[in-house]
Structures are given as structure tokens and as C-alpha cells.
Amino acid sequence: MNLLRKAFNFFSALLLYILFFYFVMVRSLDKGVDYAVYYEYRKVIFNGWLTTISISLMALILALLVGLILYWMSISHFGVLRYLQEIHKMIIFGTPLVVIAIVAYYYIGHAFNIRSKFWVGVITLALYIGAYIADIYKGAVESIHINQWQTAKMFGFTKVQTYRYVVFPQVLMTILPPLAGQFALTIKGSALLSYMSTDEFLNTIKTVQAASFRYSEGFIIVTLGYLLLTIPLILLVRYLEKRMNYKVAK
């Protein structure tokens, strides 16, 4: 009975959203809806969608490494390294991703002779998301009680052994839900790479829009395309939260 009530509430809420957007589309579109031109370019659009997935996956994997390096720099005994990572995070936290993407492609990429839009996009996202992941690592490590550090030291563990056998196993379980959330943010952030003309999902849609002047249909396709990627990740985050006994906000 409880399951039926939840299902009823969910589909009722979903129906209200559908009716709302249907009302908006009917009132906004004077010339009707026509997806014929998008169907003609379906292979190009699908390839752009796959490119978005590839960029996001590669960027997240690299961001995990970038975040770990930034975390190690933050606890380094070398002041230069600590200030370097702090300056990097200040720039990332204080600058919109679109600005960083433009600077990365037209200036930094050109200076280092990196011509691949794909890899410039991957590196840009990795450096951006990595700054946030560094704070996730830091929060997870600092959540470990000091008694565990002292116990490891009492048993003669070196610093490396303490991190390997005590810290990292707990950190891994702690960071999984927020990392899944970061992956969703990475997917959405990849849309801004269209400003560097990367052949990702949004840029292919914008190309078809410019050629056909069918803008509303393109935005609907973009919305559905990103929801197909992010909704499973949102469900994954909730599953991990329940699995690991996280408090889920009601």
C-alpha cells in the first residue's frame, strides 16, 4: 500500500510537470513543432551525445588524479606547493567555467600547441572539477577520528601505511556519493565547451538550430539528452547514500 502511494504521488507530480511544460510550449510556439531536420542530423547529434559522455568520463578520471594531487599539495611541508594549490582553487572557485574554457582553448592550449578540442575540453574540466574533488578528499580525511591516527602510530604504521590501510579504505566509502554528484556536474559542465567549438552534444544541436531556425525543438532535445545522462546518476547517488547509511533529506 505504501509503495502504491509513493507511485501515485510520483506520477502525479510528473504529470503536473509535463502539463506545465506542455502549456508553456503551446503558448510559446506559434509555428508548431517539427523535428524533421533533427531526424536528418540524428547521427551527428548522437555522435555529439557520445562525445559528451567520453569527455565527461575522461575528465572525471583525470579530475580524481588532479584532486588527489591538490590535496597532497595542501598538506605538503613545502609552502610553495601549498600556495600553488590554494591559488589554483581560488581561481577555479571565483571564475565561471565558460571563461576558463575560452581562456584554456584560445590561449593556454595555443601556447602549449594543444590543437585537439577534445583534450583541451577534458583537461579544462579535469582542472575545474579536480579543485572541488580536492575538498571532498580533504573533508573525508578530516572526518576520520584522531584516535585512529594515534592507534595506527602506536602499532608502528608509517604515514604511507596509515593512509593505505586505515585512511583510504574509509575515504573511498565516504567520497563515493559526492563523486557521483560531481560526475553529474561534469556532464552538465561539458555543455559550456561548446564555446570552444568542441563537437559535443550541445554544439551539434546549436549547429542544427543555426541551419534550420528550429530553436525550441533543439532545446527540448538537449534537455532530454542531458536528463538521460544525469537522472541515472542522481538515482545512483541516492542508492549509495542509502547503502552507506547516509542521512537522506526528506
Side-chain angles (χ1 to χ4, degrees):
M1 191 67 180
N2 189 35
L3 182 61
L4 288 175
R5 188 180 296 110
K6 287 183 178 179
F8 173 78
N9 291 334
F10 170 77
F11 285 108
S12 297
L14 181 62
L15 179 61
L16 288 174
Y17 260 100
I18 292 174
L19 289 175
F20 170 75
F21 284 108
Y22 177 77
F23 171 78
V24 171
M25 297 305 294
V26 169
R27 293 294 297 271
S28 302
L29 297 180
D30 297 328
K31 55 182 180 180
V33 178
D34 184 8
Y35 290 94
V37 66
Y38 289 94
Y39 183 77
E40 293 178 9
Y41 288 93
R42 62 189 181 279
K43 291 183 178 179
V44 176
I45 294 172
F46 183 67
N47 287 336
W49 190 69
L50 294 179
T51 300
T52 291
I53 297 176
S54 301
I55 290 176
S56 302
L57 279 173
M58 295 296 296
L60 185 67
I61 292 171
L62 189 56
L64 292 173
L65 179 60
V66 170
L68 187 60
I69 292 172
L70 290 174
Y71 169 71
W72 281 114
M73 289 171 67
S74 70
I75 61 173
S76 172
H77 295 296
F78 297 98
V80 174
L81 294 179
R82 292 199 305 272
Y83 282 118
L84 275 175
Q85 66 84 29
E86 191 63 34
I87 292 171
H88 173 74
K89 290 200 295 185
M90 287 177 63
I91 292 173
I92 294 298
F93 295 160
T95 309
L97 177 56
V98 60
V99 176
I100 293 176
I102 292 172
V103 172
Y105 179 68
Y106 290 103
Y107 298 97
I108 299 176
H110 179 76
F112 288 91
N113 200 29
I114 303 176
R115 302 301 183 188
S116 172
K117 298 175 183 178
F118 178 89
W119 284 110
V120 171
V122 167
I123 294 171
T124 301
L125 275 177
L127 292 174
Y128 190 85
I129 301 297
Y132 293 92
I133 292 179
D135 281 352
I136 294 176
Y137 286 140
K138 182 179 180 180
V141 172
E142 291 180 351
S143 68
I144 297 175
H145 200 276
I146 190 172
N147 288 346
Q148 297 190 48
W149 296 90
Q150 293 173 343
T151 302
K153 188 176 181 180
M154 183 180 66
F155 280 102
F157 281 24
T158 65
K159 191 173 183 179
V160 174
Q161 289 174 327
T162 302
Y163 272 98
R164 179 179 177 183
Y165 296 110
V166 179
V167 177
F168 280 153
Q170 297 180 72
V171 167
L172 181 62
M173 299 301 290
T174 304
I175 66 176
L176 281 178
L179 281 183
Q182 285 297 327
F183 185 49
L185 291 175
T186 304
I187 292 174
K188 292 185 290 184
S190 66
L192 296 177
L193 301 182
S194 62
Y195 285 94
M196 63 172 67
S197 301
T198 309
D199 295 327
E200 46 77 52
F201 185 45
L202 179 59
N203 195 43
T204 57
I205 294 294
K206 288 170 65 177
T207 302
V208 179
Q209 287 176 324
S212 64
F213 299 101
R214 307 297 305 195
Y215 291 96
S216 300
E217 294 87 338
F219 289 128
I220 293 173
I221 294 173
V222 166
T223 302
L224 294 176
Y226 281 111
L227 286 176
L228 283 175
L229 296 176
T230 55
I231 287 179
L233 288 169
I234 294 171
L235 296 176
L236 174 62
V237 171
R238 293 181 179 176
Y239 170 78
L240 291 173
E241 288 174 340
K242 292 179 180 179
R243 182 87 178 191
M244 300 174 188
N245 296 319
Y246 276 76
K247 279 189 177 181
V248 181
K250 295 181 180 180

